[in-house]
């Protein structure tokens, strides 16, 4: 009976070493127990230790790199079975975990401190997958809402164009918006003409400066006409100086008009554009609610009517808020326009009148009155480094 147990234990597993030797520590322990003539309990007691040693050998780094060829040497490639899969199969057949029992015995000994666990939780991939799925669902919902809203607004816009749909109109506000657009076009015309005047006047001042330099040069080279050339050179230099002063006033006028037209008015028109889009969305959802209310009143229809009522209320609040914003901005824009244009028109008139009247003191006083600072002469010219 002892021999049968030994033979059975010896044939349970025959792992292959890296050098092809089939003898294991389990066989050595069994033979040693048989030679000593120990009892059956001692022989059986050595089996777990031998199996633990065998498990350690199987899980070693060298055995993971080996493989078993089913057809012997020169077998087909598909017959190769990695030893790691054999180790998993043996562990499952024994009913034990991949961690060997010998290591657990050592860990349970007093005075032994366990090594830090290398097991990683699988919660991070699951959490990242859920987060990715949540982002995808959110994007899908946003695209869906955008598509429905675009369809409704496009339908409403075509209905208004072809005269089949109704449109919400605030007559007083629409009239103010039309006046603002016409005013912006006229102010853009003033801005364009003022810039043309600045460019032409700048060229005239440059011509006067060149002419004055030429007169001064000829006054030194022509003794018989020295006084005449000198008078004309002095006159052209004075006109050039006054012209630069007038250019400073005109540039200040152009800058103020540009700010009024391209910033203040444009900001109000952007709010008006948002208001018009909100009005279109409001009419689209209002029409949708009216169509649903005119249809059947079953349970599904009542649920759709309730959802449409909520969407209609949201769009109505948005429309009312933007209409109030447009009204306030139009009021402030009108006040700001009157204040700015009153100052700029007075500056432009006084500067032009003083220049063409030849009143240099009045021209300089006008610039001081409106806090217009002139650039020093030659500040617009590029430096010698930039000319290289």
């Amino acid at each position: 009976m002892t021999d049968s147990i030994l033979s059975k234990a010896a044939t349970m597993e025959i792992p292959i070493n890296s050098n092809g030797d089939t003898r294991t520590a389990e066989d050595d322990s069994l033979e040693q127990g048989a030679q000593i003539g120990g009892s059956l309990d001692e022989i059986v007691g050595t089996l777990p230790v031998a199996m633990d040693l065998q498990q350690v050998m199987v899980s070693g780094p060298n055995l993971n790199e080996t493989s078993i060829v089913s057809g012997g040497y020169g077998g087909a490639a598909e017959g190769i079975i990695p030893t790691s899969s054999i180790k998993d199969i043996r562990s499952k057949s024994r009913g034990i975990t991949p961690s060997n029992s010998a290591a657990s015995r050592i860990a349970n000994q007093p005075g032994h401190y366990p090594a830090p666990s290398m097991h990683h939780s699988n919660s991070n991939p699951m959490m990242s997958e859920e987060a990715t799925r949540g982002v995808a669902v959110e994007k899908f919902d946003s695209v869906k809402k955008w598509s429905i809203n675009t369809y409704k607004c496009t339908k409403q816009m075509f209905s208004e164009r072809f005269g089949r749909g109704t449109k919400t109109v605030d007559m007083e506000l629409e009239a103010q918006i039309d006046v603002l657009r016409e005013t912006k076009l006229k102010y853009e015309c003033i801005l364009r003409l003022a810039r043309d005047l600045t460019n032409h006047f700048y060229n005239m001042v440059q011509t006067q400066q060149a002419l004055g330099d030429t007169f001064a040069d000829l006054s030194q080279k022509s003794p018989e006409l020295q006084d005449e050339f000198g008078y004309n050179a002095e006159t052209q230099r004075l006109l050039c100086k006054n012209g630069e002063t007038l250019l400073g006033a005109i540039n200040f006028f152009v800058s103020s008009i540009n700010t009024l037209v391209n910033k203040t008015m444009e900001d109000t028109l952007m709010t008006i554009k948002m208001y018009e889009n909100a009005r279109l969305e409001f009419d689209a959802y209002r029409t949708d609610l009216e169509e649903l209310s005119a249809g059947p009143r079953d349970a599904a229809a009542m649920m759709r009517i309730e959802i449409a009522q909520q969407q209609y209320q949201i769009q109505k609040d948005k429309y009312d808020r933007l209409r109030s914003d447009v009204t306030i901005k139009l009021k402030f824009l009108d006040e700001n326009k009157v204040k700015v244009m009153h100052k700029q028109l007075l500056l432009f008139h006084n500067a032009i009148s003083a220049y063409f009247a030849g009143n240099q003191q009045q021209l300089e006083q006008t610039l001081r009155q409106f806090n217009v600072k002139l650039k020093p002469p030659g500040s617009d010219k590029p430096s010698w480094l930039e000319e290289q």
Side-chain angles (χ1 to χ4, degrees):
M1 181 176 180
T2 303
D3 296 336
S4 63
I5 293 174
L6 291 175
S7 62
K8 184 176 180 180
T11 57
M12 286 177 63
E13 294 182 4
I14 307 178
I16 298 177
N17 296 332
S18 59
N19 56 1
D21 190 8
T22 59
R23 265 186 98 77
T24 63
E26 182 183 357
D27 298 334
D28 297 337
S29 62
L30 292 177
E31 290 183 2
Q32 184 178 1
Q35 291 176 1
I36 296 173
S39 62
L40 179 60
D41 295 333
E42 295 175 352
I43 296 173
V44 174
T46 60
L47 289 177
V49 178
M51 292 180 182
D52 295 336
L53 292 175
Q54 179 185 359
Q55 183 68 20
V56 172
M57 293 175 64
V58 171
S59 61
N62 294 329
L63 293 178
N64 287 334
E65 299 174 357
T66 62
S67 60
I68 299 176
V69 181
S70 60
Y73 293 103
E78 58 270 12
I80 299 177
I81 304 174
T83 56
S84 60
S85 60
I86 297 177
K87 180 179 69 174
D88 297 337
I89 295 172
R90 289 173 176 170
S91 300
K92 291 179 180 178
S93 62
R94 292 183 183 180
I96 61 176
T97 59
S99 60
N100 52 59
S101 59
S104 62
R105 290 178 183 175
I106 296 174
N108 292 329
Q109 291 180 0
H112 175 75
Y113 297 94
S117 175
M118 301 299 293
H119 178 68
H120 296 279
S121 175
N122 294 328
S123 60
N124 291 334
M126 294 179 63
M127 292 176 62
S128 61
E129 184 178 356
E130 292 178 357
T132 305
R133 187 183 297 109
V135 172
V137 171
E138 184 179 356
K139 289 184 178 179
F140 176 78
D141 292 339
S142 63
V143 171
K144 182 180 177 181
K145 291 180 181 178
W146 176 83
S147 302
I148 295 175
N149 186 62
T150 304
Y151 168 74
K152 292 180 183 293
C153 294
T154 305
K155 180 182 177 181
Q156 177 66 23
M157 181 178 63
F158 278 103
S159 298
E160 294 176 1
R161 292 283 179 87
F162 292 103
R164 293 195 299 265
T166 58
K167 178 181 178 181
T168 303
V169 179
D170 189 340
M171 300 300 297
E172 183 180 358
L173 186 60
E174 292 294 332
Q176 294 177 2
I177 293 173
D178 292 339
V179 170
L180 172 60
R181 286 173 174 158
E182 293 177 1
T183 304
K184 185 174 184 291
L185 291 176
K186 294 178 181 179
Y187 276 58
E188 286 176 348
C189 181
I190 293 175
L191 180 61
R192 184 174 62 254
L193 294 175
R195 284 173 173 171
D196 292 341
L197 176 63
T198 303
N199 294 331
H200 295 322
F201 195 77
Y202 175 78
N203 293 329
M204 188 185 73
V205 170
Q206 294 297 318
T207 304
Q208 288 176 342
Q209 183 177 3
L211 187 60
D213 294 340
T214 304
F215 285 156
D217 184 59
L218 288 174
S219 67
Q220 296 178 2
K221 295 180 180 179
S222 302
E224 66 278 4
L225 297 174
Q226 182 177 5
D227 294 337
E228 289 79 359
F229 278 126
Y231 295 153
N232 282 278
E234 188 66 24
T235 302
Q236 294 300 322
R237 287 176 180 175
L238 181 61
L239 290 175
C240 180
K241 180 181 179 181
N242 294 339
E244 291 178 350
T245 305
L246 180 61
L247 274 176
I250 297 177
N251 285 329
F252 185 76
F253 174 81
V254 170
S255 176
S256 300
I257 300 298
N258 179 65
T259 302
L260 178 64
V261 172
N262 294 325
K263 291 186 178 180
T264 309
M265 290 185 178
E266 190 65 27
D267 178 71
T268 305
L269 288 175
M270 288 295 295
T271 307
I272 291 173
K273 185 176 180 180
M274 295 171 59
Y275 157 75
E276 291 175 346
N277 292 335
R279 197 276 312 163
L280 183 63
E281 292 179 356
F282 167 70
D283 285 336
Y285 283 91
R286 176 183 56 81
T287 303
D288 187 28
L289 179 61
E290 291 175 355
E291 292 177 355
L292 290 175
S293 300
R297 294 301 184 93
D298 54 355
M302 293 301 296
M303 184 177 297
R304 289 195 297 269
I305 290 174
E306 183 179 356
I307 296 175
Q309 181 68 33
Q310 295 175 359
Q311 295 294 331
Y312 166 78
Q313 189 63 38
I314 293 174
Q315 296 300 328
K316 184 177 184 301
D317 295 340
K318 180 180 178 181
Y319 168 73
D320 293 337
R321 184 180 69 254
L322 286 173
R323 182 176 59 180
S324 176
D325 292 345
V326 170
T327 304
I328 294 173
K329 283 197 173 185
L330 285 174
K331 181 180 178 180
F332 284 138
L333 175 62
D334 188 64
E335 295 176 356
N336 188 27
K337 179 188 66 175
V338 172
K339 184 189 302 183
V340 170
M341 292 308 298
H342 175 76
K343 176 181 178 180
Q344 295 302 320
L345 290 174
L346 188 61
L347 167 67
F348 189 81
H349 173 268
N350 293 342
I352 292 291
S353 300
Y355 173 79
F356 285 99
N359 192 343
Q360 180 181 1
Q361 295 180 353
Q362 181 67 28
L363 181 61
E364 294 177 353
Q365 183 181 356
T366 300
L367 267 67
R368 288 194 299 268
Q369 178 183 355
F370 293 96
N371 298 322
V372 179
K373 295 181 181 180
L374 297 179
K375 296 181 180 179
S379 61
D380 294 335
K381 297 181 180 180
S383 62
W384 64 273
L385 287 175
E386 295 175 349
E387 292 178 351
Q388 299 299 325

